[in-house]
Amino acid sequence: MKRSVSLEIIRKTEGIKRLEQYMRELIDHDRKVATSLLNEETLTYPTLYVLSSFIREHHMAKHLSDRNKIALSIQKDILAKERAPAAPFPYSICDLPQYIHSVLRWMVETGSDEKLNTRFRLVIDRAAGLLTTIYQHPDDLSLVSNLLFKRRRAGHSTHYVTWAYFSSQNISSLLPIGEKLLSPHEEEVAFARELLHFISGLDQSDDPYVYFRSWYEENLPYLLHNENSYELTAELTPYIVDHDTKYRESFSFIENVPLREHGFQSLSEHEKEQLANLSYRIRMRSRSEWIEWMNRPLSAQLMFMEEVQHDNNSR
């Protein structure tokens, strides 16, 4: 029996049943060649996944490459009905956590476009979650963001991947989502708006991407992780603007600090946001003007804010 084509080509052109048949014929003819094909660098995780039962049946796991062994261990852990109370996953798999990271990336990169079955999607989604929650490497953000939008296009649940993505606790995770506001596909733009629902004013903007970039650059120093929002909800709010810090920045030149701080905290969230934004704009325009403005009574600031809003609305 000649080794004429790769396992990848057989799966993609002739299907899973033909792939399994080919492997059964090959293992009867030459077990070493069968093992060699499984360990090829070009093999993708979906092909390893569909052959995992075959591998167990023929006791081939011990002959697999480290990458394949780790991938199957991750797969087994994710699909297990009950996890044994062992060492925290995934560090119990091997002594090289960074190698596990590369295997997880390989699984998600090669598997995110495949639509095999629900269990396969579960493995890919959980692997993406391990990338963002354990390794939190910035290079993984684009990978998981793309997976998130693929899940949405396919009509599958995005709750877990959304939670996992923002659990990276990397503020720059907002950027790949914001880039989707430029997408030529309306459904992608709509989903990006949905994910960025916590950005005040985005829905009313005629140019959402420009609005997003302006908001991001302005509020980046004041964004806080919203720990209370990390639940599987339809509208996750991963970041909130620290309006108090944006409003006052520092106490160096402000009189009656405790009184001012108490007064600001007693305002409604909308008033806090509006006053913080006004304070920021004045500070960016003129530091001396801002110091003078910040030493006015809070009531005077609120009155000035209303006048500015009225003037803007009248234009």
Side-chain angles (χ1 to χ4, degrees), residues 139-164:
D139 291 345
D140 296 329
L141 293 177
S142 179
L143 179 65
V144 181
S145 171
N146 287 334
L147 174 64
L148 177 58
F149 279 82
K150 287 173 183 177
R151 288 287 182 263
R152 181 67 169 216
R153 284 197 300 272
H156 298 306
S157 172
T158 58
H159 290 185
Y160 178 82
V161 182
T162 301
W163 171 84

Side-chain angles (χ1 to χ4, degrees), residues 207-242:
D207 193 334
Y209 178 71
V210 170
Y211 186 94
F212 163 76
R213 288 297 309 197
S214 176
W215 178 91
Y216 181 82
E217 292 167 8
E218 176 178 323
N219 291 289
L220 183 59
Y222 314 109
L223 289 177
L224 300 175
H225 298 294
N226 183 17
E227 300 294 342
N228 295 328
S229 184
Y230 283 83
E231 300 175 357
L232 297 183
T233 59
E235 290 194 334
L236 191 70
T237 303
Y239 299 102
I240 54 176
V241 178
D242 183 354

